[in-house]
Amino acid sequence: MQLLAHRGYWRTPEQKNTLQALGHALKNGYGFESDLRDYLGKLVISHNIARADNPEAQEVFALLASYQDRFCFAINIKADGMELLLAQALKQHHLCNYFTFDQSVPQLLEYQRAGLRTFTRQSEYERQPVLYEQAAGVWLDAFFDDRWIDRKLIEGHLAAGKQVCIVSPELHGREPQPFWERLYSISAGLEGLLICTDLPDLAKKFFCQERGV
C-alpha cells in the first residue's frame, strides 16, 4: 500500500499545502496529494483561489526531483488551461511518478491529449468513470458510503491495467478505522494500491508495519 499524505505532512490545518508540509512528507517517506492552480502565468499550490504568496509548483517539482522521483505526486487540478504549463514543468524536472485528477471532462480530454497521466474518478455518484480506457488509473472516492468499494471492484480495475488510489474516509470527516480494517481484508495480495490520507503515520503503522504489507 503506497501512502499519499493529503496536502502534505501537517499537524495543524494552516500547514496544509505549504512547501514545508510537502517537503516533510517526502522526508518521512510519503508521496503526497496537493492542489494546483495558475497565478499570473505560473503554476502554484493552492486549494482555494490562488494568491501571490502561494508556493510555486516549480519548487515542489524540484523537491520531487531531488528524491529521484521516488514518491508519487497526486495532482488535484483546480483550474482550467494548465495542461501545457504542467507538461513542460514535469518534463523539465524529469518527473514521471505522478498523476492528475479531478479535471472537468473537457479538461480531462485535453490532459490526455497532452500526454499527461490522468486518473478518472469513481464514487457513489459516478458509478461509471469517464474516459476510462484512456486513464492511467482510478481515484476511488466515497463521499458518504464506502460499502460499494469491494475486492471485485478493485480487482477489475487492476485487471484492466489501471492503478487504484483510494480516498481514506477521514478526508470526508468519517472515522477511518472501520474502512481500513475492511480495506486490509479485501486488498490482501493485491499490488500497487495507493491510499490518500490525512493520517499517514497511523496508516503506515496499520497497513505496512503491524500488518507486514
Side-chain angles (χ1 to χ4, degrees):
M1 187 77 69
Q2 296 183 55
L3 304 178
L4 300 181
H6 181 234
R7 302 180 190 169
Y9 187 96
W10 48 270
R11 297 298 187 190
T12 60
E14 60 270 16
Q15 295 172 340
K16 296 179 183 181
N17 275 343
T18 61
L19 191 61
Q20 292 77 14
L22 302 179
H24 286 157
L26 299 176
K27 288 178 183 177
N28 283 277
Y30 305 123
F32 53 78
E33 179 272 354
S34 195
D35 305 292
L36 198 67
R37 291 183 180 272
D38 57 322
Y39 183 79
L40 299 179
K42 297 183 296 186
L43 298 176
V44 298
I45 301 297
S46 182
H47 180 73
N48 299 313
I49 299 301
R51 305 189 312 263
D53 60 348
N54 292 138
E56 291 192 22
Q58 287 284 3
E59 295 180 272
V60 177
F61 297 142
L63 265 177
L64 289 161
S66 73
Y67 283 84
Q68 291 76 51
D69 199 24
R70 294 201 312 272
F71 300 105
C72 182
F73 181 11
I75 307 173
N76 191 326
I77 302 300
K78 292 295 186 181
D80 289 350
M82 300 187 296
E83 63 274 7
L84 297 183
L85 282 174
L86 179 56
Q88 182 181 19
L90 292 168
K91 183 177 180 180
Q92 175 186 344
H93 292 281
H94 308 287
L95 297 177
C96 298
N97 193 2
Y98 75 92
F99 63 87
T100 67
F101 71 101
D102 255 8
Q103 305 96 322
S104 65
V105 173
Q107 280 290 284
L108 189 57
L109 279 167
E110 293 299 326
Y111 273 71
Q112 291 173 350
R113 287 169 181 159
L116 292 162
R117 299 188 76 244
T118 64
F119 274 30
T120 184
R121 174 190 286 278
Q122 188 172 26
S123 74
E124 61 265 56
Y125 302 109
E126 300 145 303
R127 293 292 186 165
Q128 298 299 322
V130 299
L131 297 171
Y132 182 81
E133 292 300 322
Q134 299 89 340
V138 181
W139 180 263
L140 288 184
D141 196 355
F143 291 96
F144 297 103
D145 180 1
D146 55 45
R147 289 174 294 178
W148 56 274
I149 299 178
D150 58 21
R151 186 178 181 91
K152 182 178 179 181
L153 178 76
I154 296 171
E155 283 184 325
H157 291 318
L158 295 176
K162 310 301 179 186
Q163 284 188 282
V164 175
C165 185
I166 302 166
V167 176
S168 192
E170 72 277 6
L171 272 64
H172 297 302
R174 303 196 306 275
E175 167 60 41
Q177 190 75 14
F179 179 73
W180 285 5
E181 291 282 358
R182 192 164 64 82
L183 180 60
Y184 175 77
S185 176
I186 66 177
S187 65
L190 300 180
E191 300 292 333
L193 298 181
L194 302 96
I195 186 167
C196 183
T197 176
D198 279 333
L199 306 167
D201 288 341
L202 288 177
K204 181 179 180 180
K205 183 178 180 182
F206 184 88
F207 287 107
C208 306
Q209 294 178 358
E210 291 183 348
R211 306 303 180 114
V213 177

